Amino acid sequence: MLTAIEKRRSCRNFNNKRIVEEEKINEIVNAGLYAANGRGQQNGIVIIIQDKKVRDELSNLNKSVGKFSIDPFYGAPVILLVASKKSPTAIYDGAAMIENMLIEATNQGLATCWIHRAKEELESKEGQELFSSLGIDLSDYEGIGHIALGYAKNDNYPPKIIKDNRVFYIK
């Protein structure tokens, strides 16, 4: 497991022509469902977006929220949107889900990037209309984040250098 954690990087150049296998997506999502969560409530959900039209609509919405001119999902063919039922632990629960999925995606040989602004998307009229049109009622949920998921065009990342003075022992 530590190897996958050490290897994980944020990808910003996806191969959008290469299909991500369903088995891999299912394993990644399953890792998220097993994440730690407040009081065992399991309030987090994952919406798997593979439909290009919906993915592009969500990208445009995220782009407008973040005031970007480029695709905020970097061409990734799969988007995993994480939301959590509104509660005091919603953000923590969703973040734990995302982290588990990022690590499992690396373990599966896939590339990822954690993308923000899901909260703003789900609070917007356009976001509510988009998911409502898909039959998903997110009125009781808070958007936590997205995972842009796919195969990297280039995955030769340099080793990560960990800064000093980030761990303190009190014995």
Side-chain angles (χ1 to χ4, degrees):
M1 163 111 47
L2 190 54
T3 301
I5 292 169
E6 290 172 350
K7 187 177 177 187
R8 200 212 71 76
R9 298 288 184 281
S10 293
C11 176
R12 292 181 178 81
N13 196 5
F14 289 90
N15 179 348
N16 60 10
K17 304 286 188 233
R18 191 166 174 197
I19 303 297
V20 179
E21 299 87 345
E22 290 293 322
E23 308 83 48
K24 290 186 177 188
I25 295 171
N26 292 336
E27 289 291 320
I28 292 162
V29 170
N30 204 34
L33 297 177
Y34 275 96
N37 58 88
R39 297 186 353 228
Q41 295 295 302
Q42 299 184 30
N43 285 328
I45 62 170
V46 181
I47 301 169
I48 304 164
I49 302 164
Q50 294 175 281
D51 180 280
K52 183 165 176 16
K53 181 179 178 283
V54 174
R55 180 239 178 263
D56 290 347
E57 284 182 54
L58 190 61
S59 173
N60 288 331
L61 180 55
N62 192 291
K63 207 185 302 188
S64 70
V65 168
K67 301 185 178 29
F68 292 101
S69 59
I70 63 164
D71 175 13
F73 299 138
Y74 304 105
V78 179
I79 305 302
L80 304 177
L81 172 61
V82 175
S84 188
K85 197 168 277 191
K86 294 174 183 171
S87 73
T89 62
I91 294 170
Y92 312 112
D93 296 346
M97 291 178 74
I98 291 171
E99 183 66 13
N100 275 16
M101 290 190 287
L102 293 172
I103 294 166
E104 181 55 29
T106 300
N107 187 51
Q108 294 287 335
L110 294 165
T112 58
C113 192
W114 185 336
I115 309 296
H116 298 284
R117 295 170 298 282
K119 176 178 173 44
E120 295 85 352
E121 288 170 6
L122 296 188
E123 289 175 349
S124 73
K125 180 181 175 210
E126 298 85 359
Q128 292 170 9
E129 289 173 357
L130 172 62
F131 288 102
S132 180
S133 75
L134 298 168
I136 302 171
D137 179 8
L138 295 174
S139 57
D140 291 337
Y141 288 84
E142 182 174 348
I144 306 301
H146 317 77
I147 296 175
L149 177 69
Y151 286 95
K153 283 189 179 178
N154 175 10
D155 62 357
N156 291 332
Y157 298 103
K160 190 173 196 171
I161 306 299
I162 303 299
K163 293 179 182 179
D164 291 334
N165 300 316
R166 291 182 54 211
V167 178
F168 300 89
Y169 287 93
I170 301 172
K171 294 183 178 186

